[in-house]
Amino acid sequence: MMDESVRQAFRNDGAVLIEGCLDETQLAQCHDAFLWAVDNPGPHVFRPLDGTELRTHIDNANPLAKDRLDELVSSLPFGKLFADLWGSKHVWYFAEEIFLKQGGTSGRGPWHQDTANLPWAGRHWGNAWISFQSLPKQNSLEIVRGSHRGIQYDGASFLNPDDPTEPLYGDGTYPRLPDIEAERAVDPDAYDVLSWAIDPGDVLVLHPRSLHGGAPVDAATPDRHTLVLRFFGDDATFRTLPDANPNYARNGVLFADEMAKLNQGEPFRSHIFRQLL
């Protein structure tokens, strides 16, 4: 049974570390799925800022991997974990996201909120962030405490290495992202930032509306393989995205046909998502 302090930390902070969540077999199955996905990229593969220190291999909701991952998550403990964490009767699996950084030269990921480019609202959302390498705190993901309950900012284009706040929409619907790293360079305590050292088997769970970023690699920690599995529960609704960027207008790019069937504020539901509970 999950301790109430863990539930409260997720509600208030937007992120918790679940130590030893996955056993060796489960972790190996997840890593096999990750490696397969790297070798078989989908239509949403994204390699931002190639040629710069921020280059990373990112892929989302690969339809080639869907059946494999639907089966995998059904054998993992996340259905019961999220039901207990949220207090939700039902749990659904949305899709995966993969991050591949290697060679010790890729810098930190820019600060962002997933909900800037995904049509999600509600309390019952969670990303299970699984790293297959031991990560010291300085190489781990960072989250601004409580930001999932705060301002929804514009997204970042992730295309301008000189400006990590370059807007995804820029139409005034959402305020522009703050340059968090620039502010922290002046005042290291400008933001209340959460981060943990992570060992294989640990799972970092965060609400996708949280401001998060970081997790660089360097000479001491040259490689980072990360599989993110995304889940939602009873209190999850559809939220339309701004029309200013035609690539994301209203529905986002993931499962866009299914999203087109939903209206603002409706329960986030579709037969395409594997129900775990």
Side-chain angles (χ1 to χ4, degrees):
M1 194 71 176
M2 182 175 293
D3 192 274
E4 176 59 27
S5 64
V6 177
R7 300 188 192 97
Q8 184 174 348
F10 184 80
R11 286 195 300 268
N12 294 339
D13 299 344
V16 292
L17 181 68
I18 310 296
E19 296 181 339
C21 181
L22 301 177
D23 63 29
E24 289 186 10
T25 298
Q26 293 166 337
L27 192 66
Q29 291 171 333
C30 288
H31 199 208
D32 286 347
F34 170 90
L35 294 173
W36 188 94
V38 171
D39 290 339
N40 299 272
H44 305 298
V45 68
F46 181 49
R47 297 183 179 92
L49 303 176
D50 269 353
T52 79
E53 67 169 8
L54 295 176
R55 64 187 181 277
T56 305
H57 175 103
I58 303 172
D59 205 354
N60 271 279
N62 182 354
L64 301 173
K66 179 169 172 50
D67 289 344
R68 173 189 300 260
L69 287 167
D70 280 355
E71 289 302 315
L72 174 62
V73 297
S74 297
S75 69
L76 298 176
F78 293 118
K80 291 182 179 179
L81 185 152
F82 279 107
D84 201 356
L85 183 68
W86 295 326
S88 179
K89 182 177 179 180
H90 303 102
V91 176
W92 292 266
Y93 168 60
F94 177 78
E96 87 291 354
E97 185 172 23
I98 66 166
F99 295 91
L100 173 65
K101 293 188 175 188
Q102 58 189 12
T105 58
S106 181
R108 62 174 294 122
W111 289 94
H112 66 285
Q113 296 161 297
D114 293 353
T115 47
N117 56 12
L118 289 164
W120 297 351
R123 294 178 297 116
H124 294 169
W125 289 94
N127 293 354
W129 200 85
I130 304 163
S131 176
F132 302 104
Q133 289 81 26
S134 291
L135 300 177
K137 190 173 179 179
Q138 64 266 26
N139 297 101
S140 193
L141 193 68
E142 294 186 317
I143 302 101
V144 176
R145 189 195 305 268
S147 53
H148 67 302
R149 298 183 293 134
I151 297 169
Q152 174 62 64
Y153 291 101
D154 201 325
S157 72
F158 296 143
L159 298 175
N160 186 347
D162 299 319
D163 185 1
T165 74
E166 182 177 74
L168 188 66
Y169 304 108
D171 65 344
T173 301
Y174 304 128
R176 188 167 179 148
L177 274 166
D179 193 339
I180 293 176
E181 284 309 288
E183 294 182 40
R184 292 173 79 193
V186 175
D187 177 7
D189 298 321
Y191 291 85
D192 185 3
V193 173
L194 294 167
S195 187
W196 293 270
I198 292 178
D199 290 318
D202 296 346
V203 175
L204 174 57
V205 176
L206 66 148
H207 193 291
R209 198 170 186 261
S210 300
L211 277 165
H212 59 281
V217 293
D218 53 29
T221 305
D223 300 327
R224 178 171 67 81
H225 297 173
T226 304
L227 173 66
V228 181
L229 301 173
R230 292 161 151 172
F231 301 87
F232 61 96
D234 294 338
D235 184 15
T237 57
F238 178 82
R239 185 185 108 260
T240 57
L241 298 175
D243 293 330
N245 186 329
N247 293 325
Y248 293 91
R250 189 188 187 279
N251 304 323
V253 299
L254 305 182
F255 305 105
D257 291 344
E258 298 299 327
M259 298 301 95
K261 301 172 185 176
L262 298 178
N263 296 309
Q264 173 74 21
E266 288 183 349
F268 193 92
R269 305 286 187 271
S270 171
H271 71 280
I272 202 168
F273 302 123
R274 175 63 66 95
Q275 184 172 350
L276 302 179
L277 290 176

